[in-house]
């Protein structure tokens, strides 16, 4: 067998809060506009019929606690605080019950975004990749087993920058529930262990700058923290 020409950087795995092990990251799906107040602040109508998605490369995932340089090519890097879920069993064309069974756990994530480049992409009807699939832009807190988290809805979801609260909502504010999202996404993909799904952000997104500490919390889950340093 020919040998690999080189090694790729390792993709971080996410610790389970129950000590059962590390959850490896396969694919990263993200839901757009899943909170009405956020859709409104971005000047968009909400589509209650079906969610829509974009993806991030697993190579751009980092674990909570990372300190990363402010990314290149933007003057308007934004925080988005999100609930993520991790798929635990293969699921395809799932109904709501099958979707619920397929969720292994939940955690807190950041969907960091070059908002200015996303804006250009929207205006020019181009893909969102430059705005969304930013190096180090998918930040994951530790993963809590679904059974330990319980019913998704009453938990508060919060984000602060340097201790000042910027985002504050409830998971029940999501337009498409976690099972709706898994069921819908599984119409298009054979979902499998390793797949992470970020479920959208509440209102209050905004810019960060070098030196900022971004802290996100969801009641019942581990926090997600990111510190920005000067551009590399
Ligand atoms: Mn988002």
């Amino acid at each position: 067998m020919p040998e690999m020409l080189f090694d790729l950087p390792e993709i971080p795995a996410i610790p389970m809060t129950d000590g059962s092990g590390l959850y490896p990251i396969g694919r990263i799906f993200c839901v757009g506009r899943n909170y009405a107040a956020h859709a409104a602040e971005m000047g968009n109508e909400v589509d209650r019929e079906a969610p829509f998605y974009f993806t991030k490369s697993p190579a751009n995932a980092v674990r909570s606690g990372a300190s990363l340089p402010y990314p290149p090519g933007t003057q308007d890097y934004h925080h988005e605080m999100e609930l993520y879920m991790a798929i635990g069993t293969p699921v395809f064309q799932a109904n709501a019950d099958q979707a619920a069974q397929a969720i292994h756990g939940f955690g807190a994530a950041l969907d960091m975004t070059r908002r200015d480049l996303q804006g250009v992409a929207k205006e020019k009807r181009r893909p969102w990749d430059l705005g969304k699939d930013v190096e180090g832009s998918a930040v994951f807190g530790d993963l809590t087993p679904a059974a330990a988290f319980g019913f998704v809805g009453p938990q508060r979801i919060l984000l602060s920058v340097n201790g000042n609260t910027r985002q504050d909502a409830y998971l029940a504010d999501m337009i498409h529930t976690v099972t709706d999202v898994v069921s819908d996404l599984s119409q298009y993909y054979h979902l499998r262990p390793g797949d992470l799904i970020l479920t959208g952000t509440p209102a209050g997104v905004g810019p960060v700058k070098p030196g900022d500490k971004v802290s996100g919390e969801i009641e019942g889950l581990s926090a997600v923290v990111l510190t920005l340093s000067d551009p590399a």
Side-chain angles (χ1 to χ4, degrees):
M1 281 283 287
E3 299 218 343
M4 288 290 180
L5 294 178
F6 51 87
D7 292 325
L8 291 174
E10 204 169 310
I11 293 167
I14 307 172
M16 296 292 303
T17 56
D18 63 359
S20 59
L22 295 169
Y23 183 97
I25 299 176
R27 299 182 289 188
I28 303 172
F29 300 95
C30 305
V31 179
R33 292 172 207 155
N34 203 17
Y35 290 78
H38 171 63
E41 77 179 345
M42 300 301 292
N44 295 118
E45 297 278 315
V46 167
D47 184 350
R48 292 182 182 274
E49 293 297 307
F52 74 91
Y53 309 95
F54 56 91
T55 59
K56 294 194 182 218
S57 164
N60 292 333
V62 294
R63 276 178 54 183
S64 174
S67 181
L68 298 176
Y70 191 90
T74 182
Q75 306 294 322
D76 198 24
Y77 198 42
H78 273 209
H79 57 76
E80 293 192 2
M81 175 63 199
E82 314 208 357
L83 173 75
Y84 77 89
M85 47 188 162
I87 297 296
T89 52
V91 63
F92 180 59
Q93 297 180 339
N95 61 30
D97 282 346
Q98 294 163 331
Q101 292 298 318
I103 302 173
H104 187 67
F106 296 99
L110 300 174
D111 164 19
M112 301 300 294
T113 301
R114 287 191 280 229
R115 190 73 69 203
D116 42 1
L117 299 193
Q118 185 195 23
V120 170
K122 286 179 182 173
E123 189 185 320
K124 297 194 172 181
R125 295 172 169 267
R126 290 175 180 167
W128 286 7
D129 300 56
L130 287 181
K132 285 293 191 181
D133 198 14
V134 182
E135 290 169 349
S137 69
V139 188
F140 295 101
D142 291 358
L143 186 55
T144 295
F149 187 55
F151 182 75
V152 180
Q155 301 87 355
R156 214 166 154 196
I157 176 169
L158 294 151
L159 180 137
S160 67
V161 178
N162 306 325
N164 302 310
T165 302
R166 298 267 195 95
Q167 297 184 267
D168 185 353
Y170 289 92
L171 296 183
D173 298 335
M174 285 192 284
I175 295 160
H176 305 287
T177 66
V178 292
T179 49
D180 286 349
V181 168
V182 171
S183 175
D184 183 73
L185 189 59
S186 77
Q187 308 303 312
Y188 303 95
Y189 292 91
H190 295 79
L191 296 178
R192 59 192 187 224
D195 288 341
L196 302 180
I197 306 168
L198 280 70
T199 57
T201 196
V205 301
V208 295
K209 59 184 188 311
D212 282 349
K213 182 178 179 185
V214 181
S215 301
E217 285 179 46
I218 297 171
E219 284 173 352
L221 299 177
S222 285
V224 59
V225 179
L226 173 68
T227 303
L228 278 305
S229 55
D230 287 333

